[in-house]
Amino acid sequence: MKEIKKSIAVLPFINMSKDAENEYFSDGIAEEILNALVKVEGLQVTARTSSFFFKGKNMDVREIGTQLGVTHVLEGSVRKAGNRVRITAQLVSSMNGYHLFSETYDRTLEDIFAVQDEIAIKITNRLREKLGEEQHEQQLVKAATLNMEAYETYLQGLYYFNQWGDEAMGKAIPFFEKAIEMQDD
């Protein structure tokens, strides 16, 4: 009998906010969830650069799964207004294109790390459930800061950092420096 590998690709979350400048926040949410899932033993997670290749491309999830060699795809969207955020996450089987779950999280930005952790736990538990394993409630996201302005500034820097190149790096560094200064305050 062929062993079933648990594998997932976390696609970039779609920015559904009116402000296009919030793109960094959507990318940051997806990246944080990806980083949390990497910590799950036995789960193969596609690299960020591989899954973010599909950003802005309207492709069938089965085709994406085939190209990335994964059994599951996480896709979602983020809407941000003031200090409120709505994150929708959908876990889809790349074998047949059917949803395994879809959840919407409405929160204030003060508890964004709790939302990321909650999403990551639900995803991993669904994968474990599907593969006949027991569920585990494990903290996967550790809040590096309680200062949400510093976190948002860091995400803005990360957005440029991940674009590579001298110009993008020049834009990223001031955001990182500002985030560090905000932590010291």
Side-chain angles (χ1 to χ4, degrees), residues 59-70:
M59 292 178 62
D60 187 301
V61 73
R62 293 171 292 188
E63 177 62 27
I64 293 171
T66 299
Q67 286 188 28
L68 294 175
V70 295

Side-chain angles (χ1 to χ4, degrees), residues 26-87:
S26 300
D27 287 352
I29 294 291
E31 190 162 340
E32 291 292 335
I33 293 169
L34 185 150
N35 288 335
L37 291 174
V38 166
K39 297 173 187 170
V40 176
E41 189 174 329
L43 181 62
Q44 296 176 331
V45 182
T46 302
R48 179 200 178 280
T49 51
S50 298
S51 57
F52 272 54
F53 171 79
F54 295 96
K55 183 174 180 151
K57 296 181 179 171
N58 191 16
M59 292 178 62
D60 187 301
V61 73
R62 293 171 292 188
E63 177 62 27
I64 293 171
T66 299
Q67 286 188 28
L68 294 175
V70 295
T71 56
H72 300 88
V73 172
L74 179 72
E75 57 186 6
S77 62
V78 176
R79 279 183 224 137
K80 186 177 162 209
N83 74 332
R84 301 277 306 155
V85 65
R86 171 174 284 174
I87 300 170

